[in-house]
Each structure stands twice: as C-alpha cells, then as structure tokens.
Amino acid sequence: MGSNKSLLMLPGDGIGPEVMGQVRCVIDWFGDRRSVGFDIKEGLVGGCAYEAHGVAVTDEVVDDAMNADAVLLGAVGGPQWDNLDFSLKPERGLLRLRKDLDLFANLRPAICFDALVDASSLKPEVVRGLDILIVRELTGGVYFGEPRGIENLPDGTRRGVNTQVYTSPEIERVAKVAFELAGKRSGKVCSAEKANVMESGILWREEVQKVHDAEFPNIELSHMYADNCAMQLVRAPKQFDVIVTDNLFGDMLSDEAAMLTGSLGMLPSASLGAADATGRRKALYEPVHGSAPDIAGEGVANPIASLLSFAMALRYSFDLSDDADLIENAIKNVLEGGLRTADIMQTGKTRVSTIVMGEAIISELDKLAA
Ligand code: NAD
C-alpha cells in the first residue's frame, strides 16, 4: 500500500465527529480495496480544542495542517461557546487555519443528483445532470480592501466605506487555479466581474485573459458580467463548467449555485492555497454546513457533504479522479436506491441514520469496484 499521502482530520464539534466517522470508514475502504493509503493524523479544532487547550486551534495543529497534503474538517461551533470572547470562539480556529495556510481559492461545486432533482426550486430539466464549480477568490477584494470604516462627516451625516482592490498577482493565482481545475473537468472557464462599471473589474478581465493566453490556450475562456452570471445561473446553469470570480461576487454566486441543488447536507467545499515547487497546494476540504447542534448526538446527520468533500480531496489534491468518481457514483446509486437521511427525506423513500447511510455507500463502493 503506498502511504506517502498525508491527511489531517479535524472532526470538530457537533455533528462533525459523526459525519467524519463515515469519512474515516470510506478512507479505510480505499486503503483495503484500492491500495490508496494515507498517513492520517487527527486533531482538535473549534469548541473541543477550546475545552482541551483553551484555544480554538493550537500552534501544533496549525503546523500539522501546514505539513499535510490535505486537511479534512468536519464543523465547528455550538451554543455552549457562544458567550466566549471573540478571540476564543470555535470559528476562530477555522479562520486561523484559512489565514495561516493562505487559502485564497474557495471551490464550491454544485452537483445535482438525479434522485434529488425535485429538491431544487428550479424545474427538473434545468438542473438534471448539473455539475458546475465556482472558484471564488477568498482573501482579497472588498472584504479586506483599505480604506474601510464608518466616519462622521462635518455636516453630521455618516459615511461607510469599503474598497474593492485587487492586484495582478492576486488575480493571476486564482485564475490559474480555475484553469487548472477546468483542465481536470470539461475544459471551460467563465470569468465573472463588472468590467462595465468597475476599474477593478477591467483589471480582473485583462489579467484572467493574459493568464489564459500565456498558459492555458487550450481551455475555453469566456467573460460575463457578474449580474448576468447570476441571472444565467437560474436560467440555464448547465451552460457553465468552472466559474471564476472575486470575493464579493463569489460569495453571492456560490450560494446561489449551491442552492440550485437542494440540501445543506449535500454540499462540499474546498479551499486551496499557493502551489509549492512540486505543484502541491495547501488544501482544506469541508462540508458547507455547520455543526448542527439541533441534531448533534442523534446519529441522523447526513454524511454526504463530508464524503463529497473527501472526493474533492482525491480529485484536486491527489489527482485520483477515478477514485473520486467512485465515491460520487456510489452516493448517486444509494440515493437512487431510495435511502435518505432526515434532511433529504422524500415521500416513499426510506429514512436512515448517519451510520446506515455510510454503510450503504460502502456496500455500493464494493459493488462498483468488484
Ligand atoms: P448549520 O449548518 O449547523 O445547521 C443549519 C440547519 O441545517 C440545522 O437545522 C441543521 O440540523 C441542518 N443541517 C446542517 N448540516 C446537516 C447535515 N449534515 N445533515 C442534516 N442536517 C443538517 O448552521 P447553523 O445552525 O447556523 O450553525 C450551527 C453552528 O455551526 C454555529 O455554532 C455556527 O457558528 C457553526 N457553523 C460552522 C460552520 C463551519 O464549521 N464551517 C459553518 C456554518 C456554521
């Protein structure tokens, strides 16, 4: 078994450990059945880290995350930590990881499983077979730009200021991520900005085009105004493959795209950092959902978002697209067979626990790999 791939698993709080337990079973299955081995470390992040060490993440865990090929995170947070000082809150652990690993590219896929096509608010024919990926710039733009603040003007009025600012290296690096990912998918990138009304949008468009022309001429590139992109996502989402966009527009477009497909319990995500000399990128994979304190401990959480996040790790950190496909196909078949966790329950289907859903996915993996 080749075991030079390192994973750091951070289950976190609430349903995090429950859903990550199922990820662990699938990882073990890959070791046993596909000779895809991982060196696995586990650590604490969030409220559980605060209970053990008085901080939401220790320096040691941050170091482990820096050194791992990929980090798999469950979820953090819970009402018992809501009154902690801001600097100690569970979410600070996750934010510190994202910041220290400089994870500037956030990947949010929107994949519509046929079996759940009715869960979408759009017509089945619009979303059936949907598989798109939004790449959002995560560490720049208007959420971080200076000057910012609220000021009192001499005439007594108040003024709020935020600054949309991007430099060419910031645009180049996220554009490269989008083009590389498109190369592993169907080879199409749409870049969204507001070049019609914003100088930073003009720069964005020019820099993305430059990266394309210099390094990725084989990828099909189009440009679209972000407001039109929002409209096209609900009109005809299947026209897209990879969409690359800035922090603000990506915030909106990724939520819009994700919700085309239904439940929070089904949504994976990844955040990637810069490539090192060997091309390896720091990476953190996590479900979009939180720690779901309302159902934590009941054994009913949907593990699919976490399993799909692991599939993303296989595809994007380890170049194991066939293995990622196996997980996605196993999930698809189990849903088609009628099993549902409570969050995606539909009339006439069979409601199952977290563990039974995980076991069903593993039996399906057995069948697919036979
Ligand atoms: P949430 O995502 O935890 O839950 C929202 C609703 O969706 C709940 O009703 C929950 O039961 C349900 N849900 C979520 N994931 C599910 C799953 N896998 N299976 C079945 N049902 C699921 O969001 P919230 O309630 O706003 O936040 C709860 C806590 O999680 C808070 O402390 C919040 O700060 C934290 N949070 C953490 C993250 C993260 O770790 N990345 C993200 C969002 C919220």
Side-chain angles (χ1 to χ4, degrees), residues 308-329:
L308 290 173
S309 301
F310 175 57
M312 289 184 81
L314 291 176
R315 178 167 283 120
Y316 298 128
S317 282
F318 301 113
D319 253 327
L320 294 169
S321 288
D322 290 349
D323 294 295
D325 287 347
L326 260 185
I327 296 183
E328 288 163 3
N329 288 332

Side-chain angles (χ1 to χ4, degrees), residues 187-241:
K188 235 169 54 169
V189 170
C190 175
S191 169
E193 29 55 14
K194 290 283 288 175
N196 48 344
V197 285
M198 296 169 76
E199 283 76 7
S200 59
I202 297 173
L203 183 76
W204 183 279
R205 185 175 284 222
E206 289 175 357
E207 294 300 323
V208 171
Q209 187 68 50
K210 264 194 229 164
V211 173
H212 171 268
D213 296 350
E215 294 180 50
F216 301 93
N218 296 330
I219 302 284
E220 188 185 323
L221 170 65
S222 60
H223 301 276
M224 195 178 270
Y225 298 138
D227 50 338
N228 184 27
C229 186
M231 214 160 61
Q232 295 299 328
L233 271 173
V234 286
R235 193 186 72 82
K238 284 185 267 185
Q239 71 185 281
F240 297 109
D241 179 30

